[in-house]
Amino acid sequence: MDIKIQIRQLSVSYNGTPALRSITLDIYKNCITGFMGPAGSGKSTLITLINRMIDFEEGVRYDGEIRIDGINVLDPAVDVVALRRRIGMVFAVPLPLPRSIFDNIAYGPRLKGITNMTDLYAIVEDSLKKAFLFDEVKDRLMTSAMKLSGGQQQRLCLARTLALQPDIILLDEPCSGLDPISTAKIEEALSELKKDYTIILVSNNTKQIARTSDYAAFFYMGELIEFGETPRIFTNPSQKKTEDYIQGKFG
Amino acid sequence: MRLPPRFVNTLVALLLDLVALGTVGILVVIVCVIVVKGIAYIDLNFLFTYPEDMGRHGGVFPSLIGTIFLVALSICFATPLGLGTAIYLTEYTKETMMTKTIRFGVESLAGIPSILYGLFGFIFFVIKLKMGWSLISGALTLTIMILPTIIRTSEEAIKAVPRSLRIVSHSLGATLWETTLKVVLPCAAPGILTGIMLSIGRAVGETAAVIFTMGSSLRLPTSLFDSGRTLAVHFYILAREGISMEKAYATALVLVVSILAVNILAYYIMHKVIAKYS
Amino acid sequence: MAVVTFMRVVGAAIICLLISAACGNQTSSQVVYRRHVVTIAGSTSVMPFTEKLAEHFMIEHPNFIINVQSGGSTAGIQACLNRTVDIGMSSRELKHEEKSLTEIIICYDGIAVIVNPENPIRALSLQQIRDIFAGVLTNWKALGWIDRRIDAVTREEGSGTRSAFEELVMHGAAIDDGIMVQDSNGSVKEVVATDPYAIGYVSLGMVDTRVVALHVDYVRPSVETILARQYKIVRPFLYLINGTPSGPAQQFITYVLSKDGQKILEREGLIPVYAKK
Amino acid sequence: MPKNRAVLIDQIIKQTMRICAFSSLFFLFLIFLFILIEGLPLFYRVGVGNIIAGFKWAPTKGAFGIFPMIVSSFLVTIGALILGAPLGLACAVYLAEYAGKKKKLFLKPALELLAGIPSVVYGFLGVIYIVPLIRTYCGGSGFSLLAAAIVLGVMILPTVISISYDALMSVPRTYREGSLAMGATKWQTTYRVVIPAASSGILASFILGMGRAIGETMAVIMVAGNALRIPGSILDPLRTLTSNIALELAYASGDHRLGLFSTGVVLLIIIMILNYLANFVIRQKVIK
């Protein structure tokens, strides 16, 4: 299987306090890689580095390499705007923009310069279908996205990300505020999407990682404790800490 | 003798109630006096005919148009500048010595009394730049005068836009400007509009800065370099020179009602926004 | 959605305004092209009469625009000196260094000393008036009325009426600092009309039923007494031109000095030039 | 990866915004520059003392003393504060502590609308109603320190109210709850806890109110009588720095005009000091 993202000796600190220590990790193409770990373990920090959203934090220093298709995205010369158009991101809280469903999803394509309404509609429809939301909203695409339920909003955010036609999708605890049914719908969507995309799912819900991911990584206190194929991690972890975490002894 | 605290408490509550109502009463009385005394002399004719005999007879049409032109021009100049400043201060830069200096400048401008704006506009635009007493001199002077209001309200409005929306926009590959234009400004629009409305109110009612920069010609200004007399200046001259009390009250009515309408609309929009975010 | 609409509306409104402003300018410049414009500025005393003359003149000559600005005699003289106006208006004589301008006397104006109609006093001597404005006489009792402070009102520094009054009445004595100051004929009249204890001085042409003009040294101020050279507080109203006037300006001046123009001034209570001669 | 067009546009816009942001400073600089250029030569020629401490203002005769106007400006301002400050503070306290939500919703904008009424309208109503009242019941011409103080007292209310209100509202809830829990009545809480805690903001509101009063022009011209002497009583007319400029600017030329700009310089300095003081007072609290 191809490696999509290579993380090499990556260290990050916030105002001098280390958040990630010398992480080395490979993310495979067309797979769901789950990042798990207790709060403050550095898993969210890691994904914000991949699309350089970390630039909006203050007092951050990082060191090391993240290579996507061989190009180091931590290089200061990298065009972050183009980078972010290749890497979609879904946040922990559903964050629709205060405009219509259609405009939310068309936001990314429009930034790319697509203005033709037929093209835009095709992209919107396609993205909504992939996020399993189209049937629920097809009659009210022009109504405000704020009126959707939490679960719908989160799928809208997923669809909005898909509309960018990215290679990689980063999901930062996307189901933390959702009910089990909404969660199931998103997980269903993800398992379909991995055919076309490389997905990184951050979650502190170990069961979700077990259900959905192909590979799993366990972070603790800024260190990568263990990484491997999900079934192995969950059935036969090589580290004591991993086992304790999976069994719910802390976290 | 010491009064029992509970009694004092009730007394004070009552007293404060009266004081607050009394103060609002001042506003009500002012508006009522103007409306009651002015309403009899005002009709469409008054608004759309030319004044005769220094304003003793006839209407206020040139002043009305002069006021609209003056205010529209100064808003057109001040809004991009003020909005640009607010965007720069909130979106494009971090708190540094420089932003502190800019904020100090804005605060200082806000504190300068209008007569000094008049003095400055007179010497700079009218005399040094040889624009004469004209619409353009008045508009440029007012632009500087209302700039702080627009900057401060816009800044407040922009700051109130949740950070998360910006983050989302950036994550979708928008540049800082695209984010500002497509996400931040639309969300902040009502607040910015409130600032513009308040500035309009201020500009319409201004006299001291206008009279020395735009002059007081009663003619209809037909070019940027024509002198003109705004409603506020016209009212000042009518009232002060005792030309016609009827016309003065009628002009005051137009002035006060339009300013109050703009202000009330501004507060209404602001209130809507507050209701939306909370 | 609503916000976006808002922005669009605001944007559209601003664009419309800009376009209309731009169009407005264009049409006006075309109009100006065909019309003759005469700019006149100066003394607030002369201005109302010039306004009136201009109104009549423009009815007869619709292709003329006469722009009348106040500003005061000194400002009018200055504006005329640096040629920012076609005609300057002055209600005081030119000083030595201003003599390069050509003076045209358009009429004569008496300065009336006015009191409120409630005031029973109808006559004062020049000396008494001088004492009042010099701050020597401060109570109406000394003049035979009630025991009440005299609220004298004067004009501000730079006013032509004030300098004429200083010359004709004060004879070099200084006007007291404690006296109220108003900045136009109209506002002086307004104070006198509303305050029963006030006394002030304005252009004779401004006197109407709301105030009473006092007899000075037993002479009633009027066109007749001025013509008979009995009423002494008189000054000329001047138009000033710098060099040769433009055609339109000359045309307006000719109109002002014509029988028609002079009649208008006479009706306003001023003394026409031909009568004085 | 090369920088794309959007990023370039972003840079251009950033520079444009920066220019906008500096425009305020530029305008402030221009205002200072031109008022000082016009105003300072006379200080140099006539002497600072002869202007600031001179008693005689007769610019056409070479006397440029504005001491009576400086004094008058402060007298009017203090008068306005005596009337406006307690009233404004009372309204702010009422709004912040006593008014119900519904009442507040109506009262706060209504009080702020007072700021929207043009100063000429205040002046006009002052001339029509307050001046004759003073003339009839107190004596004098009515055009007086008292009339100006009353009109300005009303005019500074919105400033005093809104800034005091903000200061009162920023007092933490826990202060009030602590006091009320100890059995204090609402008034005792307000008087002994909330107002002292908000005192710096309230003081700042008074200072900014002073700034507003000292800078007001048209209303003052209309009601103050504009005499050149320091008033001997509150019923005497007086002329402030602002009205001196506005009364004579249109007429002035040569040294007379320079004299008015000198008046402007003095006014500008006073205003700057007041603004700085208000800022200082507010910041003082933050540091604490």
Side-chain angles (χ1 to χ4, degrees):
Chain A
M1 204 170 290
D2 294 345
I3 293 170
K4 181 73 176 172
I5 307 173
Q6 297 168 296
I7 300 169
R8 291 288 174 269
Q9 246 112 65
L10 181 69
S11 298
V12 180
S13 65
Y14 285 103
N15 299 318
T17 319
L20 285 174
R21 298 166 208 258
S22 193
I23 306 291
T24 297
L25 182 65
D26 288 335
I27 310 264
Y28 295 98
K29 206 171 178 176
N30 296 342
C31 286
I32 299 179
T33 305
F35 286 3
M36 58 186 177
S41 59
K43 56 192 191 306
S44 292
T45 303
L46 180 54
I47 64 164
T48 56
L49 272 159
I50 295 174
N51 67 349
R52 289 277 296 273
M53 288 301 282
I54 194 116
D55 294 6
F56 293 98
E57 306 291 332
E58 305 222 350
V60 181
R61 289 181 61 91
Y62 47 77
D63 205 8
E65 286 184 357
I66 297 180
R67 293 185 172 276
I68 299 177
D69 297 333
I71 295 162
N72 182 14
V73 299
L74 296 187
D75 186 339
V78 155
D79 177 358
V80 291
V81 170
L83 177 71
R84 288 177 197 142
R85 286 180 187 172
R86 287 178 53 206
I87 305 175
M89 187 166 194
V90 176
F91 298 86
V93 214
L95 289 170
L97 298 170
R99 48 180 74 192
S100 73
I101 296 171
F102 185 90
D103 285 343
N104 256 285
I105 297 171
Y107 187 83
R110 278 182 176 144
L111 291 178
K112 284 184 178 172
I114 303 171
T115 50
N116 183 313
M117 273 314 268
T118 337
D119 296 348
L120 277 179
Y121 186 81
I123 293 172
V124 169
E125 184 179 341
D126 184 49
S127 312
L128 281 171
K129 278 182 177 153
K130 280 184 183 160
F132 291 164
L133 186 63
F134 186 68
D135 293 332
E136 291 165 55
V137 300
K138 64 183 173 200
D139 302 323
R140 46 174 175 150
L141 288 178
M142 291 304 161
T143 56
S144 170
M146 309 301 267
K147 292 198 178 113
L148 298 174
S149 73
Q152 287 172 327
Q153 286 188 356
Q154 195 60 303
R155 273 178 285 148
L156 176 80
C157 293
L158 181 61
R160 187 172 61 191
T161 301
L162 297 176
L164 282 172
Q165 288 155 336
D167 316 340
I168 302 167
I169 302 173
L170 310 172
L171 299 111
D172 189 1
E173 305 189 25
C175 303
S176 57
L178 302 184
D179 58 278
I181 297 172
S182 302
T183 306
K185 280 184 178 162
I186 290 194
E187 286 175 6
E188 196 185 347
L190 290 181
S191 55
E192 286 292 316
L193 288 169
K194 71 177 177 186
K195 288 180 210 141
D196 305 315
Y197 304 94
T198 304
I199 297 172
I200 299 177
L201 172 67
V202 171
S203 179
N204 49 17
N205 179 346
T206 48
K207 290 191 182 113
Q208 184 174 41
I209 302 285
R211 278 196 302 270
T212 50
S213 66
D214 303 304
Y215 289 87
F218 173 59
F219 292 85
Y220 183 70
M221 302 281 283
E223 285 184 56
L224 174 63
I225 305 295
E226 194 165 359
F227 175 71
E229 291 183 19
T230 305
R232 186 190 64 75
I233 295 273
F234 278 86
T235 53
N236 185 21
S238 62
Q239 301 289 326
K240 180 81 174 70
K241 274 209 179 82
T242 315
E243 192 177 345
D244 289 349
Y245 182 71
I246 291 167
Q247 286 168 1
K249 289 193 178 157
F250 70 95
Chain B
M1 192 192 76
R2 243 181 87 86
L3 293 165
R6 272 175 173 279
F7 175 72
V8 174
N9 192 37
T10 323
L11 195 73
V12 167
L14 198 74
L15 218 65
L16 287 176
D17 214 342
L18 285 177
V19 167
L21 280 181
T23 310
V24 174
I26 297 176
L27 175 77
V28 175
V29 166
I30 290 175
V31 175
C32 283
V33 164
I34 300 288
V35 170
V36 168
K37 296 243 178 176
I39 200 97
Y41 309 105
I42 194 170
D43 52 23
L44 276 183
N45 241 342
F46 179 73
L47 290 179
F48 294 110
T49 55
Y50 283 77
E52 288 159 29
D53 199 8
M54 316 263 313
R56 197 163 284 125
H57 307 288
V60 291
F61 182 66
S63 302
L64 193 64
I65 298 299
T67 309
I68 291 171
F69 273 159
L70 177 74
V71 173
L73 273 176
S74 41
I75 294 290
C76 284
F77 295 146
T79 305
L81 268 184
L83 207 50
T85 307
I87 291 171
Y88 184 74
L89 289 179
T90 50
E91 305 290 307
Y92 278 82
T93 181
K94 298 191 185 90
E95 278 299 317
T96 57
M97 201 53 211
M98 191 184 71
T99 57
K100 277 194 191 119
T101 316
I102 292 172
R103 285 213 174 79
F104 169 77
V106 174
E107 291 300 317
S108 305
L109 276 184
I112 291 179
S114 55
I115 182 70
L116 289 181
Y117 281 106
L119 206 55
F120 164 73
F122 175 72
I123 196 71
F124 186 63
F125 297 121
V126 176
I127 308 256
K128 298 282 186 218
L129 298 186
K130 297 196 189 331
M131 291 177 180
W133 280 324
S134 63
L135 202 51
I136 187 76
S137 306
L140 290 173
T141 309
L142 276 190
T143 300
I144 305 178
M145 209 180 92
I146 60 179
L147 199 54
T149 314
I150 293 194
I151 293 175
R152 286 196 292 192
T153 43
S154 305
E155 212 188 322
E156 293 294 312
I158 290 173
K159 272 187 188 158
V161 175
R163 194 178 127 87
S164 57
L165 293 182
R166 296 182 173 90
I167 295 289
V168 166
S169 174
H170 284 299
S171 80
L172 292 171
T175 60
L176 192 49
W177 171 240
E178 285 164 337
T179 302
T180 307
L181 188 69
K182 293 183 177 167
V183 175
V184 176
L185 286 184
C187 290
I192 295 167
L193 204 60
T194 304
I196 294 175
M197 302 278 225
L198 291 177
S199 312
I200 291 177
R202 177 143 189 227
V204 169
E206 181 52 43
T207 319
V210 174
I211 200 165
F212 297 118
T213 51
M214 190 170 153
S216 56
S217 163
L218 257 179
R219 298 194 42 76
L220 182 72
T222 49
S223 90
L224 285 180
F225 295 95
D226 271 5
S227 166
R229 187 189 280 190
T230 64
L231 281 174
V233 173
H234 187 55
F235 167 71
Y236 173 72
I237 291 173
L238 285 182
R240 188 159 162 67
E241 316 228 328
I243 291 169
S244 159
M245 281 300 134
E246 292 89 20
K247 298 290 173 193
Y249 273 115
T251 313
L253 180 61
V254 178
L255 203 57
V256 168
V257 167
S258 53
I259 289 172
L260 287 192
V262 166
N263 276 299
I264 289 172
L265 198 61
Y267 287 120
Y268 176 75
I269 295 170
M270 199 157 69
H271 179 67
K272 276 258 171 184
V273 174
I274 291 168
K276 203 176 105 186
Y277 280 117
S278 60
Chain C
M1 217 38 206
V3 234
V4 177
T5 326
F6 245 139
M7 285 299 278
R8 284 183 189 147
V9 170
V10 172
I14 289 173
I15 289 165
C16 286
L17 278 171
L18 279 175
I19 291 171
S20 66
C23 293
N25 294 337
Q26 210 155 29
T27 47
S28 81
S29 60
Q30 284 162 0
V31 170
V32 168
Y33 199 67
R34 274 185 274 110
R35 290 194 172 184
H36 307 294
V37 180
V38 182
T39 319
I40 306 178
S43 162
T44 46
S45 305
V46 189
M47 189 192 100
F49 308 111
T50 306
E51 275 273 359
K52 198 130 235 179
L53 288 163
E55 258 177 50
H56 284 265
F57 182 71
M58 283 190 285
I59 292 167
E60 285 167 40
H61 303 83
N63 58 333
F64 274 73
I65 292 178
I66 313 278
N67 247 321
V68 187
Q69 302 266 4
S70 63
S73 298
T74 311
I77 294 165
Q78 287 298 323
C80 199
L81 279 170
N82 50 31
R83 292 175 192 273
T84 46
V85 295
D86 298 305
I87 302 174
M89 300 180 283
S90 173
S91 56
R92 64 164 170 82
E93 310 265 2
L94 293 183
K95 289 179 191 153
H96 187 70
E97 65 271 21
E98 300 159 349
K99 282 288 182 190
S100 64
L101 300 174
T102 315
E103 300 176 37
I104 300 161
I105 297 173
I106 61 157
C107 63
Y108 293 89
D109 175 43
I111 295 176
V113 179
I114 54 169
V115 293
N116 192 280
E118 279 182 41
N119 189 331
I121 294 171
R122 289 292 175 268
L124 288 175
S125 70
L126 203 59
Q127 183 61 46
Q128 283 169 322
I129 295 168
R130 193 179 307 143
D131 286 349
I132 290 172
F133 283 92
V136 180
L137 269 176
T138 56
N139 200 302
W140 285 112
K141 204 173 177 184
L143 296 165
W145 193 29
I146 52 174
D147 182 12
R148 181 88 191 205
R149 205 177 65 186
I150 298 173
D151 303 332
V153 194
T154 182
R155 291 289 303 281
E156 77 300 338
E157 282 267 334
S159 144
T161 314
R162 178 181 173 130
S163 54
F165 185 82
E166 278 176 337
E167 188 190 322
L168 299 166
V169 177
M170 300 308 287
H171 295 313
I175 293 178
D176 186 56
D177 278 344
I179 282 171
M180 280 195 276
V181 179
Q182 298 293 324
D183 61 355
S184 68
N185 267 313
S187 47
V188 170
K189 193 181 91 180
E190 191 54 27
V191 169
V192 175
T194 51
D195 180 358
Y197 316 105
I199 182 167
Y201 56 89
V202 297
S203 195
L204 183 57
M206 295 287 293
V207 175
D208 60 19
T209 53
R210 299 175 65 219
V211 292
V212 172
L214 293 180
H215 295 211
V216 179
D217 285 342
Y218 310 106
V219 180
R220 187 173 62 89
S222 72
V223 178
E224 296 74 41
T225 51
I226 291 170
L227 288 177
R229 295 176 195 263
Q230 290 168 323
Y231 191 78
K232 296 283 172 30
I233 319 175
V234 181
R235 39 101 184 242
F237 276 178
L238 304 172
Y239 276 1
L240 306 167
I241 44 178
N242 195 346
T244 327
S246 66
Q250 183 58 54
Q251 222 171 323
F252 180 67
I253 293 170
T254 311
Y255 170 78
V256 170
L257 296 176
S258 74
K259 262 219 147 67
D260 289 344
Q262 293 290 307
K263 271 233 173 68
I264 291 167
L265 292 173
E266 197 172 356
R267 243 196 338 261
E268 293 292 321
L270 298 171
I271 294 87
V273 185
Y274 59 81
K276 180 90 176 180
K277 279 171 188 162
Chain D
M1 273 182 251
K3 305 268 175 195
N4 66 21
R5 220 175 103 244
V7 176
L8 186 70
I9 292 175
D10 218 54
Q11 280 306 314
I12 294 170
I13 284 171
K14 179 171 179 172
Q15 295 313 317
T16 318
M17 298 292 164
R18 190 204 285 270
I19 292 169
C20 285
F22 277 102
S23 68
S24 299
L25 280 178
F26 176 67
F27 290 143
L28 189 69
F29 171 73
L30 272 187
I31 291 173
F32 265 86
L33 184 70
F34 276 89
I35 292 183
L36 291 181
I37 282 181
E38 294 291 307
L40 286 184
L42 206 65
F43 281 102
Y44 183 71
R45 192 137 41 87
V46 180
V48 177
N50 287 336
I51 292 177
I52 291 182
F55 278 83
K56 182 76 188 160
W57 171 261
T60 50
K61 297 171 191 73
F64 297 94
I66 57 169
F67 182 69
M69 299 169 212
I70 298 176
V71 173
S72 297
S73 277
F74 277 104
L75 284 176
V76 165
T77 306
I78 290 164
L81 270 189
I82 289 172
L83 292 167
L87 200 59
L89 181 56
C91 286
V93 168
Y94 180 77
L95 279 177
E97 308 292 322
Y98 285 84
K101 215 171 180 175
K102 264 208 169 138
K103 250 188 190 160
K104 205 154 142 182
L105 208 64
F106 152 78
L107 279 177
K108 184 132 199 301
L111 289 173
E112 273 168 34
L113 280 182
L114 273 175
I117 294 183
S119 55
V120 277
V121 172
Y122 281 109
F124 175 62
L125 295 174
V127 170
I128 300 281
Y129 296 100
I130 292 170
V131 166
L133 271 179
I134 293 174
R135 185 191 304 131
T136 315
Y137 295 104
C138 307
S141 64
F143 295 93
S144 57
L145 171 56
L146 183 59
I150 291 174
V151 170
L152 285 181
V154 175
M155 292 182 74
I156 63 169
L157 278 179
T159 311
V160 174
I161 292 174
S162 72
I163 295 167
S164 301
Y165 173 81
D166 288 345
L168 289 170
M169 289 304 276
S170 66
V171 173
R173 233 190 146 77
T174 47
Y175 282 35
R176 297 185 178 94
E177 282 162 0
S179 168
L180 288 171
M182 289 195 297
T185 63
K186 189 162 194 180
W187 171 241
Q188 285 170 328
T189 305
T190 307
Y191 183 70
R192 286 170 196 275
V193 179
V194 181
I195 294 182
S199 59
S200 66
I202 293 170
L203 188 61
S205 84
F206 291 169
I207 296 172
L208 289 174
M210 267 181 88
R212 170 103 211 253
I214 221 164
E216 179 47 46
T217 313
M218 295 329 236
V220 176
I221 287 191
M222 290 169 96
V223 299
N226 309 321
L228 279 165
R229 185 171 291 158
I230 297 175
S233 82
I234 56 167
L235 298 175
D236 280 349
L238 80 180
R239 181 187 297 194
T240 62
L241 291 165
T242 52
S243 25
N244 190 44
I245 299 170
L247 276 172
E248 300 187 2
L249 180 59
Y251 287 76
S253 62
D255 280 357
H256 187 181
R257 186 157 86 199
L258 295 185
L260 297 176
F261 275 90
S262 302
T263 315
V265 170
V266 173
L267 181 62
L268 194 60
I269 290 169
I270 293 174
I271 291 286
M272 282 296 149
I273 291 174
L274 285 180
N275 283 345
Y276 180 76
L277 263 184
N279 258 326
F280 179 75
V281 166
I282 291 176
R283 212 173 305 146
Q284 202 64 2
K285 180 71 185 173
V286 177
I287 292 165
K288 243 198 280 177

